[in-house]
Amino acid sequence: MMLSSRGHNNIFLSALLLCPSLSLAFSLDCKYIRVDETSFNFEALGGPHTVSNSDNSTPPSNTTYTIDICDFLRPGSSEQKCPQGTRICGVETFFPEEREKGPETTAFPIAGDYIHKNWRLEPALTRLKTSKLETDKNKEGVRLELHGGRRPFNNDGKKQKAAIEFLCDPGRTGNEGNENTSRPQDGKDDNESERARKRAAKSDKNEKSIHVVKYDTSDDKDDVLHLEWFTKHACENESDVPTSSGHWGFFTWLVIIVFLGVASYLIFGSWLNYNRYNARGWDLLPHGDTIREVPYLMKDWGRRVVNTVQGGGSRGGYSAV
């Protein structure tokens, strides 16, 4: 039975919706981040990280941001109240003056891949050492911009994005102050995860490797969450950076050249023997007789080696008569 092109597209879209991690895998690879011919490895920073920011205006509020730069946040956890495919989720809690009302909580995605809406992560990288911004002078690391979120999460919602500055700090792993690095397991009580999040939120900002600079809503088009993340993995001489590069070594080129040379010699010699002597089979190969003798030569050489190792003794190589 033949399917129309529309049917094929629907099947493909359904497969992507069922496997969002497939699309995310091609959008940002934490292990191999390369910008301006410089490589960084942020694999150790994977997993959900939480950081909070308080606003003492009226009514007061507290916003907790959960970030996972290497994968989408898992639905069902206490921190993840955003749509599937979210990388950065904000949960804002208002505390009204009327205590009987209780706190009001709203969640909004800041960055993620939402295939069904065609809102993409679109990661953008900037090496701070070569940045043209005056504020980036004397900085070492990477700025990562992530997109895709809306607030509220509909076509009329305001676009969201995050600008994360990974700053070189040789004394920090990047996970300090983050008590909620593990993903919730199936069947695990969410209250435990919630308590860990609250403990992390109470810790001093300076003890955490990641903190909020500001959540800027002044622009008419985009709200921007600015974060700073201090870690040794943002140092350009970090030893964990993958050593493989896009350039082949001398021996690799030597092997390739020798292989191509031998292949060219055999192909050209075979063609010459075919056209000049109308040769067939083994006779096509240049020095075919020698090539045919190789197995016997190897066998004879192996026998000589064995006899040398086993034999002779004190007779000086002569055999008894």
Side-chain angles (χ1 to χ4, degrees):
M1 181 176 66
M2 299 296 292
L3 293 175
S4 64
S5 60
R6 183 177 180 181
H8 283 295
N9 292 336
N10 291 336
I11 293 174
F12 179 70
L13 180 60
S14 300
L16 288 178
L17 290 174
L18 291 174
C19 303
S21 60
L22 181 63
S23 63
L24 293 176
F26 292 100
S27 59
L28 182 65
D29 187 348
C30 287
K31 192 173 182 180
Y32 299 103
I33 290 180
R34 190 160 180 84
V35 54
D36 287 348
E37 302 299 323
T38 305
S39 296
F40 300 88
N41 182 1
F42 291 160
E43 185 181 21
L45 304 179
H49 292 69
T50 59
V51 61
S52 297
N53 186 44
S54 298
D55 184 357
N56 295 323
S57 59
T58 305
S61 64
N62 181 77
T63 305
T64 298
Y65 301 99
T66 306
I67 306 108
D68 191 341
I69 61 169
C70 297
D71 199 359
F72 61 88
L73 298 169
R74 298 291 189 239
S77 65
S78 58
E79 294 83 3
Q80 167 57 339
K81 298 179 176 64
C82 292
Q84 184 165 347
T86 299
R87 295 283 190 106
I88 302 178
C89 180
V91 178
E92 187 173 27
T93 303
F94 290 95
F95 301 94
E97 295 180 356
E98 301 83 0
R99 294 187 177 181
E100 60 275 6
K101 290 185 178 181
E104 301 175 0
T105 300
T106 58
F108 55 98
I110 295 175
D113 244 322
Y114 310 104
I115 302 173
H116 59 293
K117 290 183 173 291
N118 199 28
W119 300 343
R120 310 312 299 265
L121 191 65
E122 297 179 1
L125 293 163
T126 302
R127 183 184 173 206
L128 298 180
K129 276 191 174 182
T130 57
S131 173
K132 297 180 180 179
L133 296 178
E134 188 70 21
T135 55
D136 291 337
K137 280 189 175 181
N138 302 320
K139 288 184 179 181
E140 180 180 349
V142 177
R143 181 183 296 108
L144 172 64
E145 291 189 4
L146 300 175
H147 307 78
R150 296 288 180 97
R151 185 179 188 183
F153 191 70
N154 55 49
N155 292 332
D156 297 326
K158 190 176 181 180
K159 292 182 179 180
Q160 307 288 301
K161 73 176 182 179
I164 309 173
E165 286 189 2
F166 295 91
L167 299 172
C168 174
D169 189 337
R172 286 180 175 265
T173 65
N175 293 315
E176 290 84 358
N178 185 59
E179 296 186 29
N180 189 28
T181 56
S182 61
R183 299 186 182 278
Q185 303 295 323
D186 293 338
K188 180 180 178 181
D189 187 1
D190 281 345
N191 290 332
E192 180 181 348
S193 181
E194 180 70 16
R195 287 193 295 271
R197 183 190 64 79
K198 289 181 178 179
R199 289 195 301 270
K202 290 180 180 179
S203 63
D204 186 74
K205 179 178 71 174
N206 294 326
E207 294 179 358
K208 296 176 71 70
S209 292
I210 178 174
H211 66 268
V212 178
V213 177
K214 64 178 178 178
Y215 178 60
D216 189 0
T217 60
S218 60
D219 189 79
D220 293 334
K221 295 182 178 180
D222 302 275
D223 292 340
V224 185
L225 173 64
H226 294 271
L227 300 171
E228 286 184 340
W229 200 326
F230 294 91
T231 173
K232 66 179 182 179
H233 303 293
C235 301
E236 297 189 1
N237 59 348
E238 164 61 15
S239 59
D240 289 341
V241 173
T243 56
S244 61
S245 65
H247 303 285
W248 290 343
F250 169 76
F251 290 103
T252 304
W253 279 111
L254 181 62
V255 171
I256 292 175
I257 292 173
V258 170
F259 173 78
L260 292 176
V262 172
S264 300
Y265 174 74
L266 292 176
I267 293 172
F268 178 75
S270 299
W271 174 82
L272 191 64
N273 288 338
Y274 176 78
N275 286 277
R276 181 175 295 179
Y277 306 111
N278 198 25
R280 297 290 188 276
W282 279 100
D283 294 333
L284 276 173
L285 296 176
H287 308 291
D289 294 337
T290 302
I291 295 176
R292 281 197 295 267
E293 291 293 331
V294 168
Y296 303 101
L297 293 173
M298 293 297 295
K299 184 177 180 181
D300 184 59
W301 177 79
R303 186 182 298 113
R304 289 176 180 271
V305 171
V306 171
N307 290 338
T308 301
V309 173
Q310 294 179 347
S314 61
R315 298 178 180 271
Y318 293 95
S319 302
V321 178

